[in-house]
Amino acid sequence: MIGAFASIGAGALAALAALGRLAIFTGQTVSHLFRPPFYGREFGAALIQIGYFSLPVVGLTALFTGGALALQIYAGGARFSAEAVVPQIVAIGMVRELGPVLVGLMIAARVTSSIAAEIATMKVTEQIDALVTLSTNPMKYLTLPRVLAATLVMPGLVAVGDIIGIYGGFLVSTERLGFNAAAYLHNTADFLTATDILSSLVKGAVFGFIAALMGCYYGMHSDRGAMGVGRATKSSVQAAAILILIANFLLTGVFFSA
């Protein structure tokens, strides 16, 4: 009995210690935003890597999700003679929830894993030690540009995902389900509000911050060797996905609790 309680206590203490390390790492990352120097080349490269090169996977994910959502809503609404609500539900579903969450998870799968593997490999090959030797702060050179770039570019990716997702629902609805194109667009525009769009963009910024931060954190704290790199990559994606879903729930409550 005592052994069971000891195991639970040890697990709780380990979780709190990990949370504390993450909080300290987050605070250090944010604090470097206001202190020179700033590495513009690293920031620009991160913008291109996270933003531009993520557009294909974001676009394809949103397009097929919007189309599938339209089919599902039409099939469900047909049971209650409510097929006409397809434009409204596709719009609100993509903008409020599916767009930000799916883009966040895609970025976690693509960018978080890449950042964690890159930084962990740099640690294994002692490149981070070399940066310290050259009087370069690894947090400012590696972490801050990636976290800042992801935070700034993710709202744009989410906006693109929302638009393409709605367009996917529009294509399926007009080409397969017999909706009038003008009426569909009119219903979509009338139903969305500024709060819906704002919540989507804010979620995108938060999810981008989480995704990049997890990649940097687990990369910086990886173990030595090939197994350490693989473990850091896996853990970073898991942590980013879970935190994105938790943050989505919390932000949804903030914006739409009323």
Side-chain angles (χ1 to χ4, degrees), residues 11 15 62 66 86-89 111 113 120 127 132 134 137 139 151 158 172 191 201 226 236 238 242 251 256:
V86 170
Q88 295 91 328
I89 303 303
V111 174
S113 59
Q127 295 180 54
V132 176
L134 295 172
N137 190 320
M139 293 286 291
T151 304
V158 169
V172 170
F191 195 73
L201 299 181
S236 68
Q238 290 176 343
I242 292 172
L251 289 172
F256 304 108

Side-chain angles (χ1 to χ4, degrees), residues 87-114:
Q88 295 91 328
I89 303 303
V90 168
I92 195 172
M94 287 302 305
V95 173
R96 284 191 180 185
E97 290 296 323
L98 289 178
V101 171
L102 288 177
V103 172
L105 293 178
M106 288 299 102
I107 293 301
R110 182 186 178 277
V111 174
T112 304
S113 59
S114 174

